[in-house]
Amino acid sequence: MNRHWGNQLIRGSENPLAELGNSGKPDLVERLKAILRTRGLTLHKVSQKTKDLYARSSPHFLPHNLYYDLGLGTFSPSLHQLFALSKISDYRFHDWLRVFKVDPENIVRLQLLLSCRRTMLLDSSLCDPASTIPWFHDKPGNFPAPALAPIGRLLALASPKRLGSLQPGNADDFVYAKIGLEDALAFPDLIPGSVVRVKAWPVRPALTRGGSNCLYLIEHANGFCCCRIQEVGTHRFVPISTQLPYAQVELKIPTEARILGVVDLEIRSLLKLEPPEVPKELAMHWRPLHLGPREMKLSQMLRAARLRAGLSFRAASAMSRLIASELGNEHYFAAPGSLSDYEATDIPPRHIHKAITLCALYGLHFSTFLKGIGLRAEEGGSHPIPDNLVPRDLPIEPRGTEPDAQEANGFFNHLLRKSEHVPFFLRNSISGFAGTMSASVNDFFWVGGDQNPLHPLLVNGLIVVVNRHKKKAIHFRSKPLWQQPLYVLLRRNGTYLCGCCSLEKNTLVTHPYSQSGRSEHLRNHEDAEVVGQIVTIVREL
């Protein structure tokens, strides 16, 4: 469930990569030689094959002196050269990226760490299917589950599973997006920074299919947004903002807008709550344009994506500096002039790191970027590189016993069915949501059984993440409802309570925001105590 938690399971186990280099840091050249040997290849053979397949003048060509260039530490192969390696070795293209320490899964993690001006789609296809994650089984007597409880009380660690064995067959039925700062039409139901899951629809759905109170993800020439809509004619609708002064613009399906689906799940971080901004260009009536073609040249694609993201060259470059700092590699930085050059020509960036940066900044799917430079990862190799030759999450087997078969009617299967589609691609982003470098299973609380929650955000809630280090209950008199901190309390009788509360002298006072709720006064550390502050909420819509 969490990369750092998974890393804790790795500690103490033997690292199969250590035999390739000192201190667990294998030399890149030796690693490359070892990978090619598993296919009976040498660099000479690979170089000759790229010459035969693509010609010496092609960007796919791999020179005979590649090992020497890599040994200098100043050279990295291009995307085209890595694709050639993938094609010839029949190993997955994304695995070759990871061999050269470029992980496509960082794209989504970076997008969730950085503030985004406009709503962007998240690429949920970037999971490494060969990676393993911790898995769980039901503890005895945990179903039916209590209204609120730590996940650790309901589930125990089981044998880890490969992600490829967990990918559901309905993955194409869902789209994920992050709400932007300047186009939060659904505020306060959805706030800037929230990640939403959207149940995808056919290309031309009926506008009334979802109901008038549903939130829709729509695409128009200026980008994406989540909002309610009002039908105004045949295949025509107006995006509606209930609280903020966005201009009401009539859009026509499918030439000026597409409805991508209905929002059915929100993952909201409560750490850095930013109020939305309404930019002048969206507050004033704007003329809708026709949607652009789905496939464009690289220069056109980058320009369109940057404008949709609401970024200037200077702002994008400044954000790339943050990316380079986060990933610890200067190659991820892109100067304003370089960003401008990419839009003036159809020549891809020389360093593969720049492709990750561009996708993270502009909200481009990595496969879309690759198509823009004439590459299709699915046309490369199809097999995973052996685990001992590529960086990959590999937790060890858990200690103890587990049931032979998962209970069909147990809590875990109930949670999986209720989730419908689990966003495994967000597993490495949990620390960003929770504001902590590590999280244990007891920091995740089940809240889906609470029939009378004290706060609207907990209505239809499923899971909350709790920071157990934040135990000082505060309630702000001047902040609106959506900015009030939430806490988990443990009563003396062993039951839990979620909601707003404050510490007044030595008494914990709850502040219900529901008609059925009543304020409680609990003696601190006698009647109840603060478990921690809720930092993330997963809730159905």
Side-chain angles (χ1 to χ4, degrees), residues 266-316:
E266 179 194 21
I267 305 174
R268 179 181 296 203
S269 174
L270 303 182
L271 287 176
K272 299 178 182 178
L273 297 174
E274 297 181 277
E277 301 174 6
V278 182
K280 182 179 179 180
E281 60 268 25
L282 295 181
M284 300 177 62
H285 189 275
W286 48 273
R287 181 181 179 183
L289 302 174
H290 280 209
L291 291 169
R294 289 189 177 272
E295 293 191 9
M296 310 181 206
K297 294 181 179 180
L298 179 64
S299 57
Q300 297 171 328
M301 179 178 65
L302 292 178
R303 175 174 172 77
R306 179 178 60 81
L307 294 178
R308 279 188 166 195
L311 294 173
S312 65
F313 291 126
R314 188 181 298 275

Side-chain angles (χ1 to χ4, degrees), residues 217-236:
L217 175 62
I218 67 172
E219 177 186 8
H220 51 78
N222 289 337
F224 304 90
C225 70
C226 288
C227 60
R228 293 178 174 82
I229 62 175
Q230 179 180 344
E231 188 174 6
V232 292
T234 304
H235 303 307
R236 289 185 172 275

Side-chain angles (χ1 to χ4, degrees), residues 296 447 512 524:
M296 310 181 206
V447 296
N524 192 27

Side-chain angles (χ1 to χ4, degrees), residues 107 111 121 123 301-302 305 358-360 362-366 368-369:
I107 293 173
Q111 289 172 335
L121 301 188
D123 193 346
M301 179 178 65
L302 292 178
L358 290 170
C359 290
Y362 297 166
L364 282 170
H365 281 206
F366 191 51
T368 302
F369 181 89

Side-chain angles (χ1 to χ4, degrees), residues 383-445:
H383 293 86
I385 293 178
D387 290 338
N388 64 320
L389 296 173
V390 63
R392 186 171 279 143
D393 290 335
L394 294 170
I396 62 175
E397 296 289 328
R399 297 178 181 177
T401 59
E402 57 183 278
D404 295 331
Q406 189 73 40
E407 288 187 45
N409 295 322
F411 169 76
F412 192 38
N413 274 335
H414 168 72
L415 180 60
L416 293 176
R417 287 194 300 269
K418 197 170 181 62
S419 302
E420 196 169 358
H421 179 268
V422 181
F424 292 115
F425 75 104
L426 296 176
R427 72 193 187 284
N428 295 333
S429 304
I430 293 177
S431 59
F433 274 112
T436 177
M437 292 304 295
S438 61
S440 77
V441 66
N442 287 316
D443 296 325
F444 294 79
F445 274 70

